[in-house]
Amino acid sequence: MASIVYTVIFIVSIIFLVWKNENKESYFPIKIIGYFLLGSFTFNFNQVSLPLGFIVYLIFFRPKLNIKVKRMAAVFGFLAFICVQWIIPYVIDEWKSRPISIEHEIGSVYTMNFQQENERVMQELNLENNTVKLENFEVDYTGDGRITELSWKLLRQHDDSYNLYEIRYDLDNKKYQVNNNQLETWLQYNQLIDAETFFKNLNVLDIKDITDAKGDFSTYVIKGTGERINYGGENRIHIFSDGKIKLIDNEDLPVEGYYISTYAMKKTGEKRNEQGNITQENFESAESSDYLFDVDLSEK
């Protein structure tokens, strides 16, 4: 697109400027082309494009014939530089990173198929399952299954850069909101799990049974970072594969794998204003249990 815009500006400018010839001058069209190219000449420094050619023109060039036209040629070249190097990349980046809304009403956490929810989002974003990694999944919900927060991130490598999709469910408007950012690096990319694999394993968990086992609390949380880690925690550790879950002893730790954490949020305090309305609440995690998958127990 940038090359097309540059070519259009170049052709239109040269035709216009040649027609504006005031004093007869040999090789005038070629000289006008030279001034335009000089004005648009770019120098890249630390990934920043600078108008070096136009600066050189301002400092060193003092034409004697057709001064006004040659100055216009350099200025038009500079304008082409601004369009191609600054404006167009900015517009394209803003367009790609615009928030995307996906209308959809979710139900209870106890009946939700998270794998289907992720596939719905990926289909809207034109992403393929085998090319996308997952990071920082979290769902918060109440004891009756009502979801109060749902979010996760998808990461796709594209050539030498990365597309980060930040997905959050808007409870008030009943839709997914997706923000897309392009990044140059993502250090932990190779340690992240495929999104399809994560949600497939998440669906193995019986969230209702897990919640009931924790008791009566204000809020419950299920989350996973998506990173493969060497796990040696002190929570209740479960390992699951092929649809089966088993509890392992602490002496079998540490183990390496991906994990999903589940815990309740216990209210520890609150502050009220003079009218008696709650202005601040404090919570801490309680009744934690972790579920690991893709674990190698061959050495245990």
Side-chain angles (χ1 to χ4, degrees), residues 7-206:
T7 301
V8 170
I9 295 175
F10 173 77
I11 294 174
V12 172
S13 298
I14 297 304
I15 293 174
F16 172 76
L17 293 170
V18 170
W19 179 74
K20 293 281 290 182
N21 185 6
E22 298 174 347
N23 300 307
K24 296 299 181 180
E25 184 176 356
S26 59
Y27 305 109
F28 178 72
I30 296 177
K31 292 178 181 179
I32 291 300
I33 292 174
Y35 275 95
F36 181 95
L37 295 176
L38 179 64
S40 64
F41 182 78
T42 303
F43 175 73
N44 294 315
F45 179 74
N46 287 340
Q47 298 182 344
V48 176
S49 298
L50 302 175
L52 179 62
F54 190 68
I55 295 173
V56 170
Y57 164 78
L58 292 176
I59 297 174
F60 297 106
F61 281 74
R62 298 291 185 270
K64 296 180 179 180
L65 293 176
N66 293 302
I67 299 173
K68 181 179 179 181
V69 179
K70 291 174 182 177
R71 182 186 303 117
M72 291 175 62
V75 170
F76 286 169
F78 176 63
L79 293 177
F81 161 84
I82 293 176
C83 288
V84 172
Q85 299 295 334
W86 292 348
I87 296 178
I88 292 178
Y90 175 79
V91 171
I92 292 176
D93 184 65
E94 287 296 308
W95 172 256
K96 289 183 177 180
S97 61
R98 76 194 188 283
I100 299 172
S101 297
I102 304 172
E103 302 282 346
H104 176 61
E105 185 172 358
I106 59 176
S108 169
V109 71
Y110 300 135
T111 59
M112 178 178 287
N113 186 314
F114 288 101
Q115 188 172 4
Q116 290 181 358
E117 294 299 309
N118 181 65
E119 289 174 354
R120 182 191 310 276
V121 172
M122 291 180 62
Q123 184 175 4
E124 291 289 337
L125 299 176
N126 294 319
L127 299 176
E128 298 180 3
N129 281 331
N130 59 351
T131 64
V132 181
K133 304 281 190 177
L134 175 133
E135 185 176 69
N136 292 344
F137 170 86
E138 180 174 341
V139 57
D140 299 5
Y141 60 98
T142 59
D144 60 2
R146 180 175 59 86
I147 293 176
T148 58
E149 184 175 344
L150 174 61
S151 64
W152 69 95
K153 297 178 182 179
L154 297 176
L155 194 67
R156 180 177 71 99
Q157 186 174 13
H158 181 67
D159 296 331
D160 295 328
S161 62
Y162 300 87
N163 288 105
L164 175 65
Y165 301 91
E166 299 179 281
I167 303 154
R168 182 174 298 275
Y169 188 77
D170 185 342
L171 293 163
D172 295 330
N173 297 305
K174 296 181 174 57
K175 61 183 179 181
Y176 286 106
Q177 290 278 65
V178 184
N179 290 320
N180 175 20
N181 297 291
Q182 188 167 356
L183 308 169
E184 295 299 324
T185 60
W186 198 268
L187 297 179
Q188 69 271 34
Y189 179 81
N190 292 329
Q191 299 179 17
L192 295 177
I193 190 172
D194 293 337
E196 182 181 19
T197 301
F198 178 86
F199 285 107
K200 180 180 179 181
N201 283 279
L202 178 61
N203 274 348
V204 173
L205 300 182
D206 190 321

